[in-house]
């Protein structure tokens, strides 16, 4: 049911360093969601570890992206010059991954029930962002937490009189005890763009494995994707997406990243639900598109706590 501040049973306001956040403490699960970036940094069913990887050196500062969790890349993904022309023509900066991940979103709604909590945040990308982007759109991001699943749905509505082309990603970071013993499943037989090899097309054969830096955009269709580590297994079911990103910085790039310990690449990976490259979406005035993912964890050994 819909509720208002003061009547929430499981949701509370909190402040972490410089940033305002919502902390959810339900009997069945816990979560933490920041208004800056609509950035989820923690979700776990009760008595389980965080489903999301968060850097030990993550900063919670105004105007700085948080390293880990699920950053929102919107209304473009990656470097502007790697986007199709229809997306590039709206961009007025060299900044990668758009501006949503450092913008302050507005709380639209909190709905609580005995079984789940649903929180919606919105961002009105209007003239306030005109130095970064030529467009006007509203983003509505809804999180649904339960004892067994984490769901995100990012809906973009074009409020401009001209067509809007956008790329985007739910940039999900996952933990692993050992990246070399980790596999991404479900992509066998697809093709991908290898950003580390002159953006060439390559076929995927078997599971995705990691021996160093990986930066790939998969033409994934509507496939479910799995992540298998030595202690747990995740399943990602996406909608509104025919592309996926698999990323790990490897040892050399890890040393150049901000808020990223040198050895952290060994304990994380990103598998991102996306609209990237040929999967960009074009919206006419008033049209909407929803990019979503449902994440479940299939197992967790007790010794991983």
């Amino acid at each position: 049911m819909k509720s208002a501040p003061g009547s929430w049973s499981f949701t509370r306001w909190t402040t972490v360093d410089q940033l305002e956040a919502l902390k959810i403490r339900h009997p069945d699960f816990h979560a933490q969601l920041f208004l800056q970036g609509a950035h989820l940094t923690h979700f776990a069913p009760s008595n389980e570890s965080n489903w999301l990887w968060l850097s030990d050196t993550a900063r919670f500062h105004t105007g700085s992206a948080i390293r880990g969790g699920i950053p929102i890349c919107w209304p473009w993904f990656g470097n502007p010059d790697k986007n199709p022309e229809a997306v590039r023509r709206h961009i007025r900066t060299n900044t990668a991954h758009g501006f949503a991940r450092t913008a302050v979103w507005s709380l639209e709604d909190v709905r609580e029930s005995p079984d789940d909590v649903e929180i919606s945040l919105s961002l009105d990308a209007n003239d306030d962002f005109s130095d970064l982007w030529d467009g006007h759109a509203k983003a509505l991001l809804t999180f649904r937490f339960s004892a067994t699943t984490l769901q995100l749905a990012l809906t973009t509505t074009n409020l401009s009189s001209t067509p809007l082309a956008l790329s985007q990603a739910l940039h999900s970071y996952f933990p692993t005890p050992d990246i070399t013993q980790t596999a991404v499943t479900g992509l066998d037989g697809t093709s991908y763009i290898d950003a580390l090899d002159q953006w060439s097309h390559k076929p995927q054969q078997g599971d995705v494995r990691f021996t160093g830096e990986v930066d790939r955009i998969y033409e994934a269709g509507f496939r479910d994707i799995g992540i298998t580590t030595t202690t747990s297994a995740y399943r990602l079911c996406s909608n509104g997406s025919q592309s996926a990103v698999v990323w790990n910085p490897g040892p050399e790039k890890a040393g150049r990243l901000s808020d990223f310990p040198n050895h952290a690449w060994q304990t994380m990976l990103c598998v991102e639900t996306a609209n990237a490259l040929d999967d960009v979406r074009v919206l006419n005035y008033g049209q909407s598109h929803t990019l979503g993912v449902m994440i479940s964890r299939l197992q967790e050994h007790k010794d991983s706590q």
Side-chain angles (χ1 to χ4, degrees):
M1 61 180 178
K2 184 175 181 179
S3 55
S7 63
W8 297 337
S9 298
F10 312 119
T11 307
R12 295 288 184 272
W13 289 106
T14 189
T15 300
V16 180
D17 203 345
Q18 300 176 2
L19 301 183
E20 194 171 29
L22 292 165
K23 178 170 285 190
I24 300 94
R25 297 188 66 85
H26 187 280
D28 294 334
F29 53 84
H30 297 163
Q32 186 157 274
L33 173 62
F34 287 83
L35 264 63
Q36 178 174 285
H39 198 135
L40 183 69
T41 58
H42 184 97
F43 171 76
S46 297
N47 301 317
E48 290 193 24
S49 56
N50 191 1
W51 285 19
L52 307 173
W53 180 86
L54 182 66
S55 173
D56 291 339
T57 57
R59 294 178 298 162
F60 304 94
H61 293 174
T62 302
S64 297
I66 301 169
R67 177 69 70 183
I70 306 182
I72 306 303
C73 303
W74 185 93
W76 67 88
F77 168 76
N79 292 324
D81 63 356
K82 296 301 183 182
N83 277 267
E85 171 59 28
V87 176
R88 291 201 307 270
R89 69 168 61 107
H90 293 283
I91 304 173
R92 296 173 170 174
T93 175
N94 293 325
T95 302
H97 296 316
F99 49 80
R101 61 186 183 148
T102 55
V104 178
W105 293 54
S106 300
L107 178 63
E108 289 284 337
D109 196 11
V110 175
R111 294 176 181 266
E112 299 183 331
S113 81
D115 299 318
D116 57 40
V117 173
E118 186 175 284
I119 297 177
S120 296
L121 304 176
S122 68
L123 178 64
D124 185 4
N126 53 27
D127 288 344
D128 292 344
F129 300 93
S130 60
D131 58 331
L132 304 173
W133 187 63
D134 176 20
H136 185 195
K138 182 175 182 178
L140 179 68
L141 181 56
T142 298
F143 299 82
R144 183 178 180 273
F145 310 105
S146 74
T148 57
T149 60
L150 164 62
Q151 299 181 57
L152 288 78
L154 174 60
T155 299
T156 301
T157 302
N158 182 17
L159 302 178
S160 173
S161 59
T162 58
L164 170 66
L166 76 151
S167 59
Q168 56 186 338
L170 306 173
H171 197 310
S172 308
Y173 286 77
F174 295 94
T176 176
D178 183 355
I179 190 63
T180 66
Q181 300 297 315
T182 299
V184 177
T185 62
L187 294 170
D188 182 30
T190 65
S191 62
Y192 64 89
I193 305 295
D194 190 343
L196 303 180
D197 187 12
Q198 301 180 358
W199 291 75
S200 57
H201 281 81
K202 297 181 179 180
Q204 178 63 43
Q205 298 178 341
D207 298 338
V208 183
R209 298 281 182 172
F210 302 84
T211 57
E213 184 177 359
V214 171
D215 191 353
R216 302 174 181 177
I217 301 176
Y218 280 84
E219 299 168 345
F222 293 98
R223 294 175 177 231
D224 293 350
I225 298 175
I227 302 171
T228 302
T229 78
T230 57
T231 57
S232 60
Y234 299 85
R235 182 183 183 189
L236 283 68
C237 303
S238 301
N239 63 277
S241 166
Q242 295 193 59
S243 55
V245 179
V246 178
W247 180 76
N248 179 282
E252 293 185 11
K253 188 170 184 177
R256 303 193 300 270
L257 293 174
S258 62
D259 308 326
F260 197 99
N262 288 343
H263 300 292
W265 68 275
Q266 298 173 322
T267 59
M268 56 71 63
L269 72 156
C270 289
V271 179
E272 310 169 35
T273 300
N275 294 132
L277 297 182
D278 292 340
D279 188 31
V280 301
R281 302 303 166 104
V282 180
L283 304 175
N284 293 320
Y285 171 73
Q287 286 187 324
S288 298
H289 171 68
T290 298
L291 175 70
V293 64
M294 180 173 70
I295 302 170
S296 54
R297 184 147 72 173
L298 305 182
Q299 65 185 53
E300 181 180 45
H301 300 324
K302 294 301 182 183
D303 60 8
S304 69
Q305 300 292 316

